[in-house]
Amino acid sequence: MIPPWDIFEAVTTIGREVLPMLNDETRRKLRLLNVGEFIEELEIQQQDPQTLALPFDDRFQLLADSVYQRKYNEKVQRLIKNAKFRLPKADIHDILYVDKRPLNRSIIADLASCRFVDDCRSIVFQGYPSSGKTFLGCAMAKEACRAQHKARYIRLPDLLEEYAEKSVLPGGKNKVLNKYAAFKVLVLDEWLMPELSKADVEFLLELTERRFDCTSTIFCTLYKREDWVKRLRGGTYAESIVERFAHNTTWVETGDVNMLQYLSHA
């Protein structure tokens, strides 16, 4: 891989030699440097007399900014696509703070800063059916993608089904655990909705152990904190899972306003 400073010097040299239109040799050199995006941006500059009148150092700064923004946008879009959000259009700017909906703007704004990811804290969105839990989970994870973190959305029933299918294969259990332990942000929707078997709880204990204190998990659930141990079949495994999220998790109640019904009358 070519060091970044060598790329800077090479592109600077090429830029000083740019003719009214890029020639084939210049294009070849840029592609060899793996900075082919500079070709299009340089050609855009060639069409703007005001930009051409600027000193080369200023032109290069504009060029670097444009290429960086393009690469950033492409990476974010790729992260969002790979996250497989249930609601890919969910966005924190579209969150509705309606009457009787117990959402705190300052708490949501703090979470949207993604400090919770840097601090490896988790989030629980808890409330009645159709109160917007999935929307909030997807919107918050999308902000993590914009901060260039790798995220993934999955319903707990689908996760357990995938684990059951892969666990019968050689090394399948570890492959599933490693896969979902690796995401910096994991959205677990319909958390604790299905009836769990002993094997399910053992899997969730191992997964939460691998994710604890080094990643962030976003839970979307109907169940209040005091119901978690019971939904996890009780016992030490259940208590261990709950304990991992007792002190480093932000709980957000979404209330009982049916947002689907509210939006249908908006």
Side-chain angles (χ1 to χ4, degrees), residues 52-68:
L52 290 175
L54 295 173
F56 174 74
D57 288 349
D58 292 344
R59 286 182 59 192
F60 185 82
Q61 181 65 55
L62 291 173
L63 185 67
D65 290 344
S66 296
V67 173
Y68 174 84

Side-chain angles (χ1 to χ4, degrees), residues 32-150:
L32 286 175
L33 289 167
N34 197 29
V35 286
E37 294 87 355
F38 276 84
I39 296 174
E40 291 184 15
E41 295 299 331
L42 281 168
E43 288 183 335
I44 290 172
Q45 286 191 358
Q46 295 288 342
Q47 306 303 316
D48 185 358
Q50 292 184 337
T51 302
L52 290 175
L54 295 173
F56 174 74
D57 288 349
D58 292 344
R59 286 182 59 192
F60 185 82
Q61 181 65 55
L62 291 173
L63 185 67
D65 290 344
S66 296
V67 173
Y68 174 84
Q69 189 63 45
R70 177 186 294 193
K71 284 183 171 292
Y72 167 81
N73 291 340
E74 290 174 350
K75 180 178 180 180
V76 168
Q77 290 305 311
R78 184 169 61 254
L79 288 171
I80 292 174
K81 180 180 179 180
N82 292 341
K84 299 184 178 180
F85 292 130
R86 170 68 179 82
L87 301 174
K89 293 184 179 180
D91 195 282
I92 60 165
H93 300 100
D94 296 328
I95 295 175
L96 298 178
Y97 298 90
V98 302
D99 293 341
K100 299 182 180 180
R101 197 181 193 199
L103 295 181
N104 186 301
R105 288 178 181 269
S106 61
I107 291 176
I108 296 298
D110 180 68
L111 293 174
S113 72
C114 290
R115 281 194 292 267
F116 79 95
V117 183
D118 298 330
D119 296 338
C120 299
R121 293 179 57 83
S122 294
I123 305 172
V124 175
F125 291 115
Q126 184 274 320
Y128 283 71
S130 300
S131 60
K133 303 181 295 295
T134 300
F135 183 97
L136 290 165
C138 291
M140 206 59 65
K142 182 186 284 187
E143 287 305 297
C145 291
R146 288 170 175 159
Q148 304 186 64
H149 296 298
K150 190 176 181 181

Side-chain angles (χ1 to χ4, degrees), residues 204-223:
L204 293 175
L205 174 63
E206 183 61 29
L207 179 61
T208 54
E209 170 61 27
R210 296 191 186 196
R211 295 187 56 79
F212 176 68
D213 211 28
C214 59
T215 61
S216 298
T217 306
I218 300 177
F219 300 93
C220 303
T221 183
L222 296 170
Y223 299 99

